[in-house]
Amino acid sequence: MQKKIAHSLLLTVICGALFACGGSRSNDPVEPTQSALDKTLQLVVDRQIIPVAQKFAAAAASYGENADNFCALQDANSLADLQQSWKNLALHWYHLLPYNFGPMKNDVVFPNFMFVDAYRLRGTSYTATVREEIADVIATSEPLGSGYFDFLPFQKGGLLALEVLSFESANQQRDSDAIVQSYAASSARCELLTGHAAQLVKRAEAITVGWQQSYNGETRSYRERFLAAELPDGTPPLTELLTVVQEHLDYLKQRSAVTSVAQIADIPWELMSATVAEVDALLHGRQEDQFNFIAVMRSAGAAQAADTVEGNLAFVYQSIDARNVTDFEVGVSLLDGNFKREIPNGLDVDLGITFTDGD
């Protein structure tokens, strides 16, 4: 989506519960002020985004270890561990995907997220492309060159390549014996598995480094830039956050994610549950957090808007429990609308965006 972003944050100073000047009770109401939103953003970054990025990086490293172990043993038990590790990795990715900005979009042409999840770019399925590349590599007698993965197009790698390598045999069978036999028949298959895993670890580490240490080679992290309201393109941080979450919800509906992603591993609904739970956590914070976006909305007199958002979240959860694709897509469309209207209005934020459907 092409969006022009402008921001008008019409809020001022706080002495509220967690940051009161003279102390206050834990049940004191949250005040709808600039400081309240600043604190909420800090909590989002420090208790949501960065920990989720760290968990994704840890899951990537764990998958790499399981890939090495499977290639050493090549048996049904180590394959089961590998497959479970991929599922865990994908779940953590779908927790992270709502925050598709900053280190996730570190480059205009070749951003990190694209090499992790090619489907997220345009909703194009590259499964056939990945299978063909794997078959071509295995058909050659020469070992992979040292630069093979460095120059591999994004369409042929990432989570999808690892899903195919973890859950399919050479002739697309999905039973364990056939998969193990495919690896026994060609050492190149393990070269691909461990090589793709190592590339994903690099991307995952780059995202965490960008948030915590150095963003695109700078001396400070994206966290510092974000919380100081000094983003590279001048976009205010709250505008950036609300916009990317709205884009993610739009993607889930417009690209029919539930019927398109993780089909080989057969966990699309689990991924949808993970990503909706992350949006829920973004809005409500942790249980012990007094400051969160829904609380600020309610304190600002937007209780009805907050009720609408929570009602739509409940509807989406129900659709996931029922495995109802139509209701799920209706529900995420409603949440998409909430991030365009009720939430920014309830926070007194003018996103200044003309929304269009699709990416």
Side-chain angles (χ1 to χ4, degrees):
M1 298 181 183
Q2 298 296 322
K3 302 178 175 70
K4 293 183 179 179
I5 304 178
H7 178 266
S8 170
L9 197 53
L10 309 176
L11 305 170
T12 49
V13 183
I14 186 173
C15 270
L18 295 183
F19 349 89
C21 300
S24 55
R25 298 180 303 275
S26 61
N27 61 349
D28 282 348
V30 175
E31 298 181 28
T33 65
Q34 177 67 60
S35 293
L37 282 180
D38 289 346
K39 182 62 178 182
T40 300
L41 280 173
Q42 180 197 332
L43 291 175
V44 165
V45 171
D46 292 340
R47 295 189 179 181
Q48 295 297 136
I49 300 177
I50 290 177
V52 166
Q54 291 172 328
K55 289 176 182 177
F56 176 63
S62 179
Y63 180 89
E65 292 170 1
N66 279 287
D68 290 339
N69 187 56
F70 169 70
C71 285
L73 300 177
Q74 294 192 21
D75 59 18
N77 288 335
S78 57
L79 177 62
D81 291 340
L82 180 71
Q83 292 176 337
Q84 184 57 48
S85 186
W86 187 92
K87 292 177 181 180
N88 187 53
L89 176 62
L91 286 170
H92 284 299
W93 175 246
Y94 264 76
H95 274 284
L96 183 58
L97 203 48
Y99 310 123
N100 192 21
F101 68 106
M104 298 266 280
K105 286 187 174 179
N106 60 313
D107 187 90
V108 175
V109 181
F110 298 118
N112 278 319
F113 86 88
M114 193 168 70
F115 287 90
V116 176
D117 187 354
Y119 188 78
R120 177 60 184 86
L121 183 64
R122 303 186 188 93
T124 302
S125 175
Y126 294 109
T127 305
T129 302
V130 167
R131 287 171 175 157
E132 289 171 6
E133 178 67 17
I134 293 171
D136 288 346
V137 169
I138 291 173
T140 63
S141 57
E142 299 179 2
L144 294 177
S146 59
Y148 172 81
F149 292 102
D150 292 333
F151 298 101
L152 193 68
F154 73 92
Q155 301 96 326
K156 299 180 179 182
L159 282 171
L160 178 58
L162 295 175
E163 182 183 11
V164 171
L165 288 164
S166 299
F167 290 91
E168 284 189 349
S169 69
N171 58 357
Q172 298 176 33
Q173 291 181 275
R174 298 184 187 178
D175 64 279
S176 296
D177 288 343
I179 297 171
V180 171
Q181 288 169 12
S182 288
Y183 278 91
S186 172
S187 60
R189 201 166 183 86
C190 262
E191 283 189 84
L192 287 169
L193 177 67
T194 56
H196 280 300
Q199 289 298 307
L200 197 69
V201 168
K202 288 182 182 179
R203 295 291 174 179
E205 288 177 347
I207 293 169
T208 59
V209 167
W211 270 107
Q212 294 181 277
Q213 300 174 32
S214 172
Y215 174 67
N216 277 5
E218 296 179 2
T219 57
R220 60 177 177 168
S221 67
Y222 193 82
R223 176 192 182 276
E224 292 177 83
R225 272 190 169 276
F226 186 81
L227 296 180
E230 296 175 357
L231 300 187
D233 63 357
T235 302
L238 184 54
T239 298
E240 180 78 359
L241 178 62
L242 296 181
T243 301
V244 296
V245 176
Q246 178 274 319
E247 289 176 341
H248 177 62
L249 293 167
D250 186 59
Y251 151 77
L252 294 178
K253 197 287 186 175
Q254 296 296 332
R255 305 309 187 190
S256 300
V258 72
T259 61
S260 303
V261 302
Q263 300 299 300
I264 302 171
D266 194 27
I267 57 164
W269 284 109
E270 288 82 351
L271 299 189
M272 299 308 106
S273 180
T275 209
V276 171
E278 189 59 39
V279 173
D280 190 349
L282 166 69
L283 292 172
H284 288 96
R286 293 184 178 181
Q287 193 170 15
E288 67 269 22
D289 292 339
Q290 182 179 6
F291 275 85
N292 58 71
F293 291 126
I294 292 295
V296 174
M297 288 173 65
R298 291 189 180 282
S299 68
Q304 185 173 354
D307 289 343
T308 298
V309 174
E310 292 182 325
N312 290 337
L313 271 169
F315 181 76
V316 174
Y317 281 128
Q318 290 169 4
S319 73
I320 293 172
D321 290 341
R323 299 296 194 262
N324 189 312
V325 174
T326 300
D327 283 355
F328 175 76
E329 293 185 346
V330 169
V332 294
S333 292
L334 292 171
L335 282 177
D336 174 353
N338 295 153
F339 273 87
K340 297 173 184 175
R341 296 178 294 273
E342 285 83 0
I343 295 171
N345 290 346
L347 297 174
D348 203 5
V349 178
D350 180 8
L351 296 181
I353 296 172
T354 300
F355 290 95
T356 59
D357 290 334
D359 287 318

